[in-house]
Amino acid sequence: TGYEIEDVKVDGVSIGAVSTYNFTNVTTNHTIHATFRLKSYTIAVSANPQAGGNVGGGGNYTHGDTVNLVATANEGYEFVNWTENGVQVSANAAYSFTATANRTLVANFRLKTYTITATAGAGGNINPSGNVNVTHGSNQSFAITPNTGYDIEDVKVDGISVGAVSSYTFNNVTANHTIAATFKLKTYTLTTNVVGQGTVTKNPDKSKYNHGEVVQLTANPSAGWAFNTWSGDLSGTANPANITMDSNKTVTATFTIKKYTIAASANPPAGGTITGAGSYNHADTVNLVATQS
């Protein structure tokens, strides 16, 4: 095993590497001499893809020699396995075996894969999210979207703020990364105006309100005035009235002055006349004059 016939000589003359020889009709003395040699094998190696890396250790070997193959990945690639006829024979980059036959071996490489971990806080989302696998040298984009009533507060890439951006792209990825988005509730202002005489109170009374916050507005007429209606971003005559903050709001409370009727009569009617009766606004001066007939 492991040897092959090198030559056969009959009577000192080579007849080749034959495995049998017959002497026929023997009439004299003869000699036959056989020589042997260790078998020689070719170990062929290649890289797949060629750009993935380098392979060493291939060549010619004699039977029983130890073959040491080494696969070295190029930058951005990683070693996968050695295969022969498409079947894996080793998962180690350094593969050793004893030469017993010709062999054709392929060292398989693949582009390295990195993980970008994308997270979003309450109030919005990032797409894609979770652990996103990206091959070496590729680009990967992320979209950051706030929910209704929220704004993007900040985006951090590998722990460093890049601002309240709505998108971010990792270019030529060659390492693992993280991207994290945080969000904040939108805030709005509530401006109140008055037509007539009175005031408007807000409950709660704040300079800014969060999205979705409900504010109770109460119209407080001055003495002699009456609340009439709301206008602007609030309508109707309910008092107090609620308004939901989903944008900056401006509300006007209209007050109207109270009116009174002054009725005057003479008794008996034939006794004289009276002037000055009629309709008057609150705080008007009424001058009644009785004239004797």
Side-chain angles (χ1 to χ4, degrees):
T1 301
Y3 283 80
E4 61 187 359
I5 300 168
E6 182 179 41
D7 192 25
V8 175
K9 289 182 179 180
V10 174
D11 297 331
V13 178
S14 172
I15 58 172
V18 297
S19 59
T20 61
Y21 183 82
N22 292 322
F23 290 92
T24 60
N25 190 26
V26 177
T27 61
T28 186
N29 296 326
H30 293 282
T31 63
I32 182 168
H33 179 71
T35 57
F36 303 87
R37 64 186 173 195
L38 279 168
K39 286 183 178 180
S40 179
Y41 308 113
T42 299
I43 307 300
V45 294
S46 62
N48 177 42
Q50 289 185 350
N54 299 307
V55 291
N60 295 319
Y61 291 86
T62 54
H63 185 88
D65 284 350
T66 298
V67 182
N68 296 308
L69 302 183
V70 178
T72 305
N74 289 337
E75 182 180 359
Y77 285 83
E78 60 188 0
F79 172 78
V80 179
N81 59 11
W82 287 99
T83 57
E84 187 173 20
N85 297 322
V87 178
Q88 177 175 302
V89 294
S90 177
N92 297 318
Y95 173 43
S96 297
F97 60 90
T98 300
T100 58
N102 294 327
R103 297 186 70 177
T104 300
L105 297 154
V106 178
N108 297 288
F109 300 91
R110 65 187 171 200
L111 280 169
K112 283 185 177 180
T113 299
Y114 307 102
T115 300
I116 300 177
T117 302
T119 58
N125 61 79
I126 186 169
N127 185 43
S129 63
N131 292 328
V132 181
N133 293 325
V134 183
T135 55
H136 181 88
S138 297
N139 302 333
Q140 178 64 53
S141 296
F142 292 85
I144 298 98
T145 307
N147 293 340
T148 300
Y150 284 82
D151 283 322
I152 300 169
E153 182 177 44
D154 191 24
V155 176
K156 289 183 177 179
V157 173
D158 297 330
I160 299 173
S161 173
V162 295
V165 297
S166 59
S167 64
Y168 187 85
T169 299
F170 292 89
N171 293 308
N172 189 28
V173 176
T174 58
N176 296 328
H177 294 283
T178 62
I179 181 170
T182 55
F183 304 88
K184 62 183 178 182
L185 274 169
K186 287 183 176 179
T187 59
Y188 310 109
T189 58
L190 175 57
T191 303
T192 58
N193 298 316
V194 169
V195 174
Q197 294 186 23
T199 60
V200 176
T201 55
K202 298 181 283 188
N203 183 28
D205 188 358
K206 300 191 293 187
S207 60
K208 287 186 177 291
Y209 296 91
N210 289 333
H211 180 88
E213 193 168 358
V214 176
V215 184
Q216 185 182 73
L217 297 180
T218 303
N220 308 294
S222 299
W225 291 73
F227 170 69
N228 180 261
T229 188
W230 300 105
S231 60
D233 291 313
L234 185 62
S235 61
T237 59
N239 188 31
N242 291 336
I243 186 169
T244 300
M245 298 301 295
D246 53 15
S247 65
N248 293 327
K249 304 282 188 180
T250 299
V251 175
T252 299
T254 299
F255 300 94
T256 55
I257 195 166
K258 289 183 177 179
K259 292 184 176 293
Y260 308 109
T261 299
I262 306 300
S265 61
N267 182 32
T273 60
I274 300 172
T275 61
S279 179
Y280 290 87
N281 290 334
H282 182 84
D284 282 354
T285 298
V286 181
N287 296 306
L288 298 180
V289 178
T291 305
Q292 184 177 337
S293 297

